[in-house]
Amino acid sequence: MKSIGQVAGNVAVAAAVGICCAVCHPGAAQAAAGQATGGGAQAAAGSAQGTSAQQAAAAQLPGLVAYVRNGDVYTSKGGAETRLTTGGKSARPRWSPNGKQIAFLKGGQLWTMNANGTGQRRLTTRPAAGPSWSPDGKWIAFASLSCSGGPGVYQIRTDGKGAPAVLFPRDCRSEALPGETEAAKSSVQKELSTDNAVAWSPDGRQLAFRGGDCESIYDSCLSLGDLSTGGEKTVAAYGGGGVQNSGFAVVPSWRSDGAKLAFTAYQEGEVASENKPVHLVEYDAVTGATRTIGNAMDRELDYVDAGRAVITSEKAGTSWVTVVGLANGLRVPLKSGSQPSVQPVSR
């Protein structure tokens, strides 16, 4: 099982529909070894050590972090850890808004469980990717094959009652759902090169997801969908539409105030100097401005608060869940693993 960015000669991209699949991007591993991803990465590298006191402070987390290692879900705050699943077929844990449950993928389908791993329950028989809870905790959004043949976004009630309903593309809302057997075949094929994790905005009005209407213009893109109107806005795009590059933007994550959206990106430019290995981008939801966070090969960010995040990083050739300071770049390895999700803490 590999998470996004594990390198075995090439950059591998995690797949989160039942299994973690990989796709190779020529030259990405070489670029990652030879360069960081801009000034933000250099600042992070320069302040990565910090003092013992700074590291201890940075590592103090308000709640648990759920993460994946060898296909099973664990939780920890940095000391002891608790294993929540067995069997090696789990992926993409995501905490509920009240911090009492976790949505996750098991065998390529959507499940939920209590924070201690009990009460595991399957919600779908339809192949699913990258779940995200609605702010009120009543719904879970997930990606699956749409009526258009590309990735679509669905929602299902967290109590398991009722069938999944289409959210995006908007035009699929009135169409019959694709068959589950057909969806499984197409979804697995697409997950060989992409990750379809979705993210529900804190105000409940938008969903960030890979693909969308922008795929009629670009080769790959990340969208913000308005739940009330069904309209879409392109956040990042690669190839086509006059854009002379290739790459992807995946695994979106909102800051709790909704002001920032982070995602994992990769770019091959028209010339070598424009290449960017796997890296993290933070998008300002108001101005549309973007900045790079952390180092090359950082990925899968989930915010702790306005000043810190938990990410997947590389350590001695393996994936590590790491706490990173968003302003000072201070980095504190937490546990071996990937796909971190930070438990919300009620105040």
Side-chain angles (χ1 to χ4, degrees):
M1 299 278 295
K2 295 182 180 179
S3 63
I4 297 177
Q6 286 183 299
V7 179
N10 294 303
V11 175
V13 182
V17 174
I19 57 174
C20 294
C21 302
V23 60
C24 294
H25 299 275
Q30 179 180 0
Q35 67 179 44
T37 55
Q42 294 171 356
S47 60
Q49 298 301 319
T51 66
S52 297
Q54 287 174 323
Q55 288 184 321
Q60 290 180 356
L61 299 173
L64 295 166
V65 176
Y67 52 95
V68 175
R69 184 168 66 244
N70 296 327
D72 283 311
V73 178
Y74 295 77
T75 59
S76 178
K77 291 181 68 173
E81 66 180 12
T82 301
R83 185 175 182 172
L84 303 186
T85 68
T86 59
K89 295 183 179 181
S90 299
R92 288 281 169 236
R94 286 295 179 266
W95 287 98
S96 64
N98 63 10
K100 295 181 179 180
Q101 290 183 288
I102 297 173
F104 66 108
L105 304 177
K106 181 179 179 180
Q109 295 172 353
L110 177 61
W111 288 61
T112 59
M113 61 181 166
N114 296 325
N116 62 0
T118 63
Q120 296 186 15
R121 181 177 61 173
R122 187 177 68 182
L123 293 187
T124 68
T125 55
R126 176 173 298 280
S132 182
W133 297 74
S134 64
D136 62 10
K138 296 180 179 180
W139 302 88
I140 295 176
F142 64 95
S144 191
L145 184 72
S146 74
C147 72
S148 66
V153 183
Y154 295 70
Q155 69 174 8
I156 192 168
R157 288 176 52 163
T158 55
D159 60 10
K161 297 179 181 179
V166 176
L167 296 176
F168 301 98
R170 174 178 54 195
D171 292 344
C172 289
R173 293 181 181 181
S174 59
E175 299 292 329
L177 301 185
E180 292 178 359
T181 301
E182 178 186 357
K185 179 180 178 181
S186 297
S187 183
V188 169
Q189 289 173 345
K190 292 190 72 67
E191 288 299 329
L192 294 174
S193 61
T194 58
D195 189 299
N196 286 333
V198 303
W200 210 312
S201 66
D203 64 7
R205 297 177 180 178
Q206 299 181 94
L207 269 164
F209 58 96
R210 189 195 71 82
D213 292 340
C214 54
E215 286 194 330
S216 64
I217 301 173
Y218 304 105
D219 296 334
S220 180
C221 52
L222 183 72
S223 299
L224 282 181
D226 186 298
L227 285 163
S228 62
T229 68
E232 299 178 17
K233 177 182 178 180
T234 303
V235 172
Y238 303 84
V243 178
Q244 302 299 316
N245 61 16
S246 61
F248 58 78
V250 293
V251 195
S253 175
W254 291 93
R255 203 170 74 180
S256 61
D257 60 3
K260 304 290 185 181
L261 177 73
F263 54 87
T264 300
Y266 168 81
Q267 175 176 299
E268 289 185 19
E270 191 173 11
V271 295
S273 61
E274 296 175 351
N275 291 347
K276 294 182 179 181
V278 171
H279 61 287
L280 288 167
V281 176
E282 186 177 62
Y283 168 86
D284 189 301
V286 176
T287 67
T290 61
R291 71 178 183 116
T292 299
I293 298 174
N295 297 342
M297 302 310 299
D298 287 349
R299 57 210 184 266
E300 300 173 331
L301 181 149
D302 196 30
Y303 288 95
V304 176
D305 48 40
R308 294 178 299 164
V310 176
I311 65 171
T312 302
S313 67
E314 292 292 301
K315 181 181 178 184
T318 61
S319 296
W320 272 76
V321 176
T322 300
V323 182
V324 61
L326 298 174
N328 59 18
L330 184 65
R331 304 165 70 88
V332 181
L334 190 70
K335 289 290 180 180
S336 172
S338 63
Q339 305 176 25
S341 178
V342 178
Q343 181 185 32
V345 178
S346 300
R347 288 180 174 83

